Amino acid sequence: MNPVKIIDVKESIFADNNADADRLRSELKSTDSYLVNVMSSPGSGKTTTLLGIIKELRDKLTIGVMEADIDSDVDAYTISNVGIEAIQIHTGGMCHLDADMTRQGLHEFSEPKQLVFLENVGNLVCPAEFDTGANLKMAILSIPEGDDKPLKYPLMFECVDLVVINKIDTIDYFDFKVDQCIENIHKMNPTATVLTISAKNHTGIKELADYLYAKVEAYHG
Amino acid sequence: MNPVKIIDVKESIFADNNADADRLRSELKSTDSYLVNVMSSPGSGKTTTLLGIIKELRDKLTIGVMEADIDSDVDAYTISNVGIEAIQIHTGGMCHLDADMTRQGLHEFSEPKQLVFLENVGNLVCPAEFDTGANLKMAILSIPEGDDKPLKYPLMFECVDLVVINKIDTIDYFDFKVDQCIENIHKMNPTATVLTISAKNHTGIKELADYLYAKVEAYHG
């Protein structure tokens, strides 16, 4: 197995997380790093989706991944084993990351990356409340979870730039109406981009990677 | 649609939630009510599982359901529409319930029930940290979420008495090893009961209902 750096993050020393998140965005800009905060329920397919994006973009951009977990290192090894630098962040029971915890992770990379993914703790509630300093916020919702989830976890779907509907290959098995789900999302977040994928079958991943690549290109100017 | 009481719970005035949870258990005992705290990720099938249990036990016990959600009333109406008294608890953004919030919900029932289910906020992290005063803690894990979840959200699977593995009807589609999952659960929680069901197809629901009925009978003495 490829090596993975594992760090235990400490609680932030900054009282004002929003101000610290802005400060982190300035720091990221100074190293030309674009940070994407990836949020979802447990088991929505965050890591598999990242593997697909990496496949599409690894020849165009330098990429790093930070895996936030309460415990376990399995996702960081999965990423590291395809040759992408991965940092495992252990939150010590905490249900989300703030900007300073994200900074602690970023400092562990051997060198700045053009595109960094932060795979947040699997949780549709708490991570939505904390600005991690990311340039883009992305939520993944998988078909087995149900098309009503945007209504039940509104803050998550209100705060993100991009919603990825994953496991579309299982649509025949579950009672999930994609149009209704997109309507639910747009009711509370009219400008959100919604993309439909199957990370397992690589369906829709090129479109997702193209979307992210355009964002990174615009950021790097 | 049948009526549903909807309440906005207030933050607890008690500094020591554990002591308050013990106090709530005494209060429940005085009315012969048995409280089950049902926890899972969003979309694991909590409401559908409760509908199945209700079908099995409604002729034997008086049953009530409290639905905790950040927003939305859909689950409470689903329960109410089968003729079971349902209380919708809105948490106002909070990611879990504590004992006093649970008490606020219990007080809304028209009369004490022999068996009360608290459907907690969909979240594998925070609800595990708060004793709601329940007599039994039950986690639901669904096949699409993956068999590694007990390792990634250890506190949830350590703290419960019962783990229900749901959506077993989808086992052929997902890479989920039931034996491995049970082994993962028992590694950290050797005495946990693990039951496998498909709430959608009513598979295993009788066994689950029998397990709960035996607990309630023993409690009522």
Side-chain angles (χ1 to χ4, degrees), chain A residues 41-43 69-72 74-75 93 95 122-126 129 144-145 149 151-154 167 169-170 173-174 200, chain B residues 41-43 69-72 74-75 93 95 122-126 129 144-145 149 151-154 167 169-170 173-174 200:
Chain A
S41 292
D69 279 291
I70 291 167
D71 211 341
S72 115
V74 55
D75 292 340
C95 52
N123 184 334
L124 278 188
V125 187
C126 316
E129 296 170 29
E145 294 170 61
K149 292 304 163 293
L151 302 177
K152 290 175 129 181
Y153 301 90
K167 306 193 188 178
D169 52 299
T170 69
Y173 200 80
F174 296 96
K200 187 182 176 183
Chain B
S41 292
D69 280 290
I70 291 168
D71 211 340
S72 116
V74 55
D75 292 340
C95 53
N123 183 333
L124 278 187
V125 186
C126 317
E129 295 170 29
E145 296 170 61
K149 292 303 163 293
L151 302 176
K152 291 176 129 180
Y153 301 89
K167 307 192 188 178
D169 53 297
T170 68
Y173 199 81
F174 296 97
K200 187 182 176 184

Side-chain angles (χ1 to χ4, degrees), chain B residues 51-124:
Chain B
L51 287 174
I53 296 168
I54 286 166
K55 202 171 174 184
E56 293 289 335
L57 295 183
R58 64 187 304 160
D59 295 335
K60 295 177 172 177
L61 297 168
T62 57
I63 302 176
V65 176
M66 298 186 285
E67 293 286 343
D69 280 290
I70 291 168
D71 211 340
S72 116
D73 319 318
V74 55
D75 292 340
Y77 281 107
T78 303
I79 298 292
S80 177
N81 283 341
V82 300
I84 293 292
E85 195 174 2
I87 309 294
Q88 178 70 54
I89 298 175
H90 279 166
T91 67
M94 269 179 293
C95 53
H96 67 274
L97 289 190
D98 64 17
D100 191 57
M101 293 155 82
T102 305
R103 180 186 287 110
Q104 293 171 48
L106 284 163
H107 285 176
E108 298 297 324
F109 282 115
S110 57
E111 59 191 0
K113 312 292 181 192
Q114 290 170 303
L115 175 58
V116 179
F117 292 100
L118 168 63
E119 185 178 325
N120 219 311
V121 180
N123 183 333
L124 278 187

